[in-house]
Amino acid sequence: MIYIAPSLLSADFAHLEAEIKRMENAGANYLHLDVMDGLFVPNITFGAPVISALRPHSKLIFDVHLMIQDPIRYIDDFVKAGADIITVHLESCADPRAALNAIREKELRCALAISPATPVEQLIPYLSEIDMALIMTVVPGFGGQKLIPETLEKVRTVRRYAESHHLKLDIEVDGGIKPDNIHLLTEAGANIIVAGSAIFCSKRPRSVIASMRETAAEHPYKK
């Protein structure tokens, strides 16, 4: 099944509650929450207090993507804020397994992300220990970028590995994804699709999400 995760980074920050309700009504499955610290990536967004404030107003799965340095320091904060999934970056962790263990100990789904510059081979040793792999399809830090085509092969590599090792693994992709290119990601093996401006900036987000799902169904994973 394909899951659609609108990225709050592209929402109208003056009306976050209304924007989230708009995504729920449009048929989104997840809400992707990009937390940036200005250190790991050159941008600052929001933190646990904002997520905590939004949590009572939504039944969507809160997919919290920590683009922060040494994220293990803040796992408890995001658990308390209401995260359902917590993703940490391989590149930002001194000890990735310690961070993943800290998430699992709180009985949350744990995920590990890699940026476009990171070889996919560095992610492979962790695949049996996570619920989801996040392949960044743009350089993390800002919305509105174009998808980097070379990242598609990383998605294929991870899906092939998961299948050959009988792993029940979600593969999420994030960055530059729109109705006219989602087929590239689903054919490569992704099943959780993050999209920001393509959904939030549309006056008809339900139509956008429906179009993405339809295209994804027409272009399943190709082995």
Side-chain angles (χ1 to χ4, degrees), residues 9 13 22 31 51 55 57 72 90 118 122 134-135 138 166 175 178 180 191 207 211 216:
L9 190 63
F13 274 46
R22 193 163 67 98
L31 183 68
I51 294 173
R55 180 71 278 184
H57 302 287
I72 194 170
L90 178 62
T118 301
Q122 293 185 21
L134 168 54
I135 308 298
V138 299
H166 308 290
K178 304 175 182 179
D180 63 2
N191 68 304
S207 295
S211 174

Side-chain angles (χ1 to χ4, degrees), residues 122-166:
Q122 293 185 21
L123 181 63
I124 297 297
Y126 300 94
L127 295 183
S128 63
E129 305 171 36
I130 59 178
D131 300 295
M132 181 176 79
L134 168 54
I135 308 298
M136 291 298 300
T137 48
V138 299
V139 177
F142 295 93
Q145 301 180 62
K146 291 185 178 180
L147 184 145
I148 299 171
E150 291 77 14
T151 59
L152 296 172
E153 189 56 37
K154 294 183 179 183
V155 178
R156 293 189 190 95
T157 298
V158 172
R159 181 54 72 200
R160 288 179 190 137
Y161 184 94
E163 287 206 333
S164 65
H165 290 75
H166 308 290

Side-chain angles (χ1 to χ4, degrees), residues 28-49:
N29 304 107
Y30 293 20
L31 183 68
H32 190 78
L33 297 148
D34 288 308
V35 177
M36 306 182 191
D37 64 357
L39 296 173
F40 178 62
V41 293
N43 197 7
I44 296 174
T45 54
F46 48 80

Side-chain angles (χ1 to χ4, degrees), residues 8-20 22 46 50 54 200:
L8 195 69
L9 190 63
S10 296
D12 179 351
F13 274 46
H15 303 94
L16 288 181
E17 181 182 349
E19 287 281 74
I20 293 172
R22 193 163 67 98
F46 48 80
V50 170
L54 295 175
F200 270 106

Side-chain angles (χ1 to χ4, degrees), residues 14 22 24 30 38 40 53 77 83 91 103 106 114 135 139 152 162 182-183 187 192 201 205:
R22 193 163 67 98
E24 287 186 354
Y30 293 20
F40 178 62
D77 292 336
E91 305 91 349
I103 299 167
K106 300 298 182 179
I114 57 169
I135 308 298
V139 177
L152 296 172
I182 187 176
H183 66 285
E187 287 179 349
I192 301 179
C201 296

Side-chain angles (χ1 to χ4, degrees), residues 12 41 58 102 185 193:
D12 179 351
V41 293
S58 177
L185 288 310
I193 310 297

